[in-house]
Amino acid sequence: MEEIVSSVKRDYIIDLVKQGKRIDGRALDQLREVVVEKGVIKTANGSAKVKLGKTQVLVGVKLMHAEPFPDTPESGVLIVNAELLPLASPTFEPGPPRVEAIELARVVDRGIRESEAIDLDKLGIKPGEDVWSVFIDIDVLDHDGGLIDASALASIAALTDVKPPQDEDWKLPGFPLNRLPVAVTVAKIDGKLVVDPCLDEERVMDARLTITTIEDGSICSMQKGGRGYFTREELEQAYDLASAKAVELREKLR
Amino acid sequence: MEKPEKLIVDGRRLDGRAPDELRPLKIKAGVLERADGSAYVELGNNKVFAAVYGPREMHPRHDQQPDAAVLRCRYSMAPFSVEDRKKPGPDRRSMEISKVTKEALEPVLFLELYPRSVIDVFIEVLQADAGTRTAGINAAAVALADAGVPMRDLVSSVAVGKVEDTIVLDLIKEEDQFGTTDMPVAIIPRKKAITLLQMDGHFTKEEFKQALDLAFRGCEKIYEVQRQALKEKYAIKESG
């Protein structure tokens, strides 16, 4: 089921953005209120719930024994999965994952994988036979837009919460997390850029760009979405916005 | 695949190209009989077909849009197109590529002209050597034009990246796998607008800007070849 919006509301949101305002009263470069709560699930090795405005996402991390990939016999495995649960939105339906859920999981995966946030080389147990697999499972509980940013933040928050498993094969003092990649999505609405679009804004946006940056401001992953386009100048502007906002979000991980 | 000792030697890449050089590119329009429009692209070792059907009636009907046509893209890889046999049918990677391909092409189409219809774009990768999504987009844009679908412009696409601290154009498989960064880009050439942008690896802001410049230059060359392919099929040839 597709997200639809009335033309009255569409015009209203676009008119506001033209005046530098937003439907929820924020400035164009302002994030929604962010609440990060760690250690919310006892049965997971690490967990975090993120509230981004009215959006709620819960991430659980499980460390399990697994077989390594043949091309990296001594390295651990990272698997990210996202569920757009039917309880989170009238437009989410039960059934196999839709392309939106797949994209969400893959964008979060690339942010963590490409920044080398987790030192997977330290997660081998028995070369070629047994390694640690890091399962990051994203449960979307309430969808009011910004699922990529909320899920990426909840994932990295849950990773900072990982307690070593009670298992004789675990030899490390802690969980080998080296970096804190943070994703920030910038939406283009009627030619203007806004950070952290809410659902109403996502419904009317031309396009979005998610930029994941690490502590030094360099980029580890990007993903454009939506039917519209960006100009070069807009891309550079989007980078400046995303890297500045990532600093604010990273603060919330402490 | 073994990791080569070095990916760039004396400013030359494994296949002998300079960092800003494109692989050999061949495009042919109108290569399939039954499709409304089609194209074939060879980019280095990539071999890709694209077919367009429509605008035609949208089934299932509940997927119809009352005010516009729906663009439906399906990117698919033949089981024999990669070193190991690829399990046939859509997987998570190909579903994501189908989605970003659709979003890369939509901005040039006048979908509002065909309410309740669908335009189907089928991309089949027969042989893969990195850059298949960009080759698929290049083929699909030509196939859409070949089908006579009204368009604002073509879409041209290429990947750029970083290999051993050098920004390079149009990565081959070894560079994609063992290099630092891969960034596929698609643009609307005349508008200089970016319709596909993905990136994984590592870029500073400066490197990102450099890579974008290189992608634009690469896309302009591809655009020329795409236009040439359409001209070859449709230009009125002088007789005698």
Side-chain angles (χ1 to χ4, degrees):
Chain A
M1 210 159 104
E2 182 93 14
E3 294 281 353
I4 47 172
V5 61
S6 70
S7 51
V8 175
K9 199 167 198 181
R10 172 184 298 274
D11 294 347
Y12 176 58
I13 294 171
I14 290 173
D15 268 352
L16 281 175
V17 169
K18 272 187 187 147
Q19 304 164 43
K21 295 180 193 164
R22 298 173 73 173
I23 189 163
D24 51 11
R26 282 183 289 162
L28 300 188
D29 65 350
Q30 192 181 346
L31 297 167
R32 284 174 285 181
E33 197 194 340
V34 188
V35 182
V36 179
E37 206 184 326
K38 293 189 206 177
V40 288
I41 303 292
K42 276 191 184 148
T43 45
N45 296 90
S47 62
K49 186 159 111 175
V50 163
K51 281 190 198 171
L52 182 59
K54 292 175 190 157
T55 287
Q56 289 193 63
V57 173
L58 198 145
V59 168
V61 175
K62 286 273 211 185
L63 297 170
M64 312 291 283
H65 286 267
E67 250 180 64
F69 290 115
D71 53 341
T72 50
E74 296 180 41
S75 300
V77 173
L78 170 67
I79 292 172
V80 181
N81 179 58
E83 297 286 334
L84 300 180
L85 301 172
L87 62 75
S89 162
T91 63
F92 294 168
E93 288 164 26
R98 297 184 314 176
V99 64
E100 290 79 10
I102 291 168
E103 185 190 31
L104 171 61
R106 289 176 63 86
V107 171
V108 172
D109 178 301
R110 288 200 289 265
I112 295 167
R113 190 181 300 278
E114 299 297 332
S115 63
E116 294 170 3
I118 303 171
D119 192 345
L120 292 174
D121 293 341
K122 287 196 177 144
L123 295 180
I125 302 169
K126 200 167 175 207
E129 285 179 31
D130 194 11
V131 298
W132 288 104
S133 180
V134 183
F135 287 92
I136 298 180
D137 283 293
I138 302 163
D139 258 16
V140 174
L141 301 176
D142 209 349
H143 171 34
D144 191 40
L147 292 185
I148 297 178
D149 299 3
S151 302
L153 189 68
S155 298
I156 205 75
L159 288 173
T160 64
D161 180 57
V162 169
K163 288 153 288 269
Q166 301 293 323
D167 186 307
E168 56 178 22
D169 287 325
W170 185 271
K171 309 275 191 241
L172 301 169
F175 184 70
L177 186 68
N178 296 331
R179 271 185 269 281
L180 301 175
V182 170
V184 175
T185 298
V186 177
K188 178 173 159 180
I189 299 176
D190 200 53
K192 288 222 165 145
L193 299 184
V194 306
V195 292
D196 178 27
C198 63
L199 184 60
D200 279 332
E201 291 172 326
E202 284 183 352
R203 285 169 171 152
V204 307
M205 70 186 173
D206 305 313
R208 62 166 154 82
L209 179 66
T210 302
I211 304 179
T212 308
T213 49
I214 53 176
E215 286 87 336
D216 67 0
S218 58
I219 311 165
C220 60
S221 158
M222 286 190 278
Q223 178 93 342
K224 178 247 172 193
R227 292 175 184 188
Y229 60 83
F230 287 97
T231 64
R232 269 214 62 154
E233 294 68 38
E234 286 165 350
L235 288 188
E236 286 180 33
Q237 229 184 312
Y239 166 80
D240 291 337
L241 276 170
S243 54
K245 294 295 141 182
V247 176
E248 285 179 33
L249 286 177
R250 203 171 284 114
E251 283 290 306
K252 305 282 180 187
L253 293 171
R254 284 162 192 267
Chain B
M1 190 165 49
E2 284 287 300
K3 184 177 181 348
E5 202 171 309
K6 280 194 88 56
L7 292 164
I8 300 185
V9 179
D10 296 332
R12 293 278 156 185
R13 297 152 71 179
L14 291 179
D15 57 1
R17 282 181 295 154
D20 62 350
E21 203 177 321
L22 212 56
R23 285 177 282 187
L25 172 65
K26 273 203 303 206
I27 305 183
K28 199 165 173 356
V31 288
L32 302 173
E33 196 50 44
R34 293 300 303 275
D36 294 317
S38 61
Y40 174 67
V41 168
E42 274 186 25
L43 175 66
N45 290 322
N46 290 301
K47 296 180 200 278
V48 179
F49 273 101
V52 170
Y53 285 85
R56 59 182 176 180
E57 195 179 350
M58 171 58 131
H59 288 289
R61 291 177 76 163
H62 63 82
D63 281 343
Q64 289 183 352
Q65 294 277 1
D67 54 354
V70 171
L71 177 67
R72 209 160 43 182
C73 291
R74 183 180 190 268
Y75 163 100
S76 138
M77 285 183 111
F80 49 77
S81 64
V82 282
E83 232 159 285
D84 297 325
R85 179 172 182 271
K86 189 207 160 280
K87 200 165 145 263
D91 53 22
R92 289 162 70 92
R93 173 179 170 275
S94 66
M95 282 175 74
E96 187 196 347
I97 293 177
S98 298
K99 177 178 186 286
V100 296
T101 298
K102 164 185 148 84
E103 291 168 342
L105 296 168
E106 270 173 334
V108 297
L109 299 177
F110 294 88
L111 294 173
E112 63 280 7
L113 295 179
Y114 305 100
R116 300 186 184 281
S117 318
V118 62
I119 299 171
D120 275 307
V121 174
F122 299 112
I123 295 167
E124 183 73 7
V125 178
L126 299 180
Q127 185 176 296
D129 184 17
T132 56
R133 79 191 65 187
T134 66
I137 289 169
N138 292 329
V142 174
L144 282 162
D146 182 47
V149 176
M151 296 167 82
R152 295 177 173 86
D153 194 359
L154 294 170
V155 176
S156 307
S157 180
V158 76
V160 286
K162 181 164 72 168
V163 170
E164 290 165 4
D165 287 325
T166 305
I167 305 294
V168 297
L169 179 67
D170 188 19
L171 287 72
I172 51 171
K173 204 165 54 188
E174 290 82 354
E175 294 171 331
D176 181 25
Q177 192 170 341
F178 302 114
T180 314
T181 312
D182 177 31
M183 181 169 90
V185 176
I187 66 168
I188 308 172
R190 282 191 300 169
K191 212 180 165 85
K192 304 222 174 298
I194 293 119
T195 66
L196 169 113
L197 181 68
Q198 294 181 285
M199 177 276 206
D200 51 64
H202 181 269
F203 269 158
T204 62
K205 186 185 180 186
E206 249 346 280
E207 290 168 337
F208 173 45
K209 284 161 70 173
Q210 256 185 52
L212 267 180
D213 284 337
L214 191 56
F216 270 90
R217 291 206 298 277
C219 283
E220 272 158 33
K221 289 184 192 142
I222 289 167
Y223 186 48
E224 260 323 297
V225 183
Q226 288 174 302
R227 286 166 43 129
Q228 206 49 48
L230 288 165
K231 279 185 193 162
E232 228 151 78
K233 183 171 173 198
Y234 290 103
I236 298 163
K237 296 183 181 75
E238 282 180 48
S239 54

